Amino acid sequence: MDLWVTEMWTPIMALSCKTKKTIHQEKSEYQEIAVVETEQFGRMLLLDGVIQTTVEDEFIYHEMIAHVPLFAHKNPRNVLVIGGGDGGAIRETVKHPSVDKAVLVEIDERVVEVSKQYLPEISCALDHEKVEVVIDDGIKYVKENKNQFDVVIIDSTDPVGPAEGLFSSDFYRSVYECLREDGIMVAQAESPFFDRKFIRKILSNIGSSFPLTRLYTSFVPTYPGGYWGFALGSKKYDPVEADPARFDKIDTRFYTPEIHKASFVLPKYVSEYLYEK
Ligand code: SPD
């Protein structure tokens, strides 16, 4: 019998992947967690039926959510990742020699544990000496830690349930306050095709605290539309600029300084919708 996992992208559209088997399934305090083995993408992590990451395409998303802000900042030493319990964004963060400490704040301890057990390729840096894993609410954590971080990466789930508050103006104000004076934040920002209206809202919410806001995008095969947005807020640095000299020290499969620059070039329909009156 063929078994397929289907994520509804909209009420009238879906992505279906043929699976070999279900590796793990449980209901945590916060959500339904599943790991399945797919034919196309290898192991896949789903939360409440929504694809979070897969072993085959995760490098694109995790490199883009981490290296763009980390290279835009001139000297990132302290980094905070909110969400991202699978460990992919942290794995990329600790590749930067300038980083002394990377804190992961994940609300659901079971996501961290399940990822450690079944997704070792992604979670492999969670026990790194520079990494501290804190099981807590990211909203509460940023309020309690002011002026501590150079870069904040918000690797959340979609804006429903536990992640909803991670897209609000109030939350971005707290992120602004937990950053140092030249800090940068980035948030995963949904699909520029299906969620244009919502991305506009995210950028305006970030812009209510940060002087500089930009959207950059990338190709992520398993996310709706295969095309994904990242919303960035910067206190000082122009995020389009990256220092190619620092790049030589980092091993990536997708990110390059050229990709960095190009990711800020938006298709006309996106920039017209987001930035024109
Ligand atoms: N539509 C799903 C978007 C999920 C973005 N975050 C995924 C976490 C991967 N580290």
Side-chain angles (χ1 to χ4, degrees):
M1 188 176 67
D2 284 352
L3 291 173
W4 292 71
V5 62
T6 297
E7 177 189 323
M8 297 305 295
W9 280 0
T10 73
I12 53 169
M13 251 203 91
L15 173 72
S16 278
C17 297
K18 192 171 172 206
T19 67
K20 290 183 183 161
K21 60 179 172 186
T22 299
I23 310 273
H24 180 82
Q25 209 168 359
E26 71 174 70
K27 176 97 185 68
S28 76
E29 191 186 337
Y30 297 96
Q31 56 213 334
E32 179 84 37
I33 304 174
V35 178
V36 296
E37 180 81 39
T38 69
E39 300 264 3
Q40 183 69 53
F41 294 105
R43 289 191 178 187
M44 171 187 276
L45 172 70
L46 298 109
L47 298 178
D48 286 336
V50 178
I51 300 167
Q52 299 302 312
T53 196
T54 80
V55 165
E56 284 300 313
D57 76 343
E58 59 87 13
F59 67 100
I60 305 173
Y61 173 86
H62 290 129
E63 289 182 16
M64 290 304 285
I65 202 166
H67 297 310
V68 173
L70 287 166
F71 278 113
H73 194 284
K74 297 288 172 274
N75 184 28
R77 289 178 296 121
N78 287 70
V79 179
L80 171 64
V81 177
I82 296 172
D86 52 75
I90 279 282
R91 181 198 62 205
E92 296 307 311
T93 298
V94 295
K95 287 180 180 174
H96 287 250
S98 68
V99 170
D100 296 327
K101 184 155 188 192
V103 181
L104 175 86
V105 178
E106 164 64 58
I107 200 164
D108 191 342
E109 186 169 23
R110 290 300 302 152
V111 173
V112 174
E113 284 165 2
V114 167
S115 302
K116 277 185 169 177
Q117 188 165 2
Y118 300 109
L119 303 165
E121 305 86 341
I122 304 174
S123 62
C124 53
L126 286 172
D127 292 321
H128 191 282
E129 55 186 9
K130 291 183 179 177
V131 174
E132 181 189 358
V133 176
V134 177
I135 302 302
D136 203 352
D137 178 0
I139 299 178
K140 177 171 157 270
Y141 187 89
V142 290
K143 280 193 187 138
E144 290 168 355
N145 288 275
K146 293 197 193 306
N147 198 28
Q148 299 285 312
F149 295 97
D150 301 302
V151 173
V152 174
I153 297 169
I154 303 154
D155 182 12
S156 72
T157 50
D158 293 329
V160 279
E164 212 176 333
L166 299 177
F167 295 86
S168 69
S169 310
D170 285 354
F171 174 66
Y172 296 133
R173 166 54 53 185
S174 307
V175 171
Y176 182 92
E177 287 167 0
C178 97
L179 284 164
R180 297 201 175 108
E181 73 287 346
D182 57 351
I184 296 183
M185 63 140 282
V186 67
Q188 78 83 4
E190 305 293 299
S191 160
F193 188 84
F194 292 114
D195 308 306
R196 260 170 283 172
K197 201 169 166 190
F198 187 64
I199 293 183
R200 203 169 145 141
K201 180 81 189 135
I202 298 175
L203 289 172
S204 132
N205 288 352
I206 294 175
S208 63
S209 294
F210 287 83
L212 242 152
T213 59
R214 295 294 286 265
L215 183 78
Y216 64 94
T217 62
S218 192
F219 156 78
V220 183
T222 52
Y223 287 175
Y227 177 52
W228 210 244
F230 302 86
L232 189 146
S234 176
K235 288 189 176 184
K236 178 176 168 188
Y237 304 117
D238 177 356
V240 180
E241 303 302 327
D243 177 4
R246 270 170 59 214
F247 175 67
D248 290 347
K249 299 183 182 68
I250 305 233
D251 182 32
T252 57
R253 291 172 66 200
F254 187 83
Y255 177 94
T256 64
E258 293 77 21
I259 288 272
H260 181 119
K261 266 195 192 322
S263 69
F264 287 93
V265 179
L266 300 175
K268 197 169 169 211
Y269 80 93
V270 178
S271 52
E272 274 181 2
Y273 185 81
L274 295 181
Y275 298 115
E276 284 172 20
K277 302 274 174 259

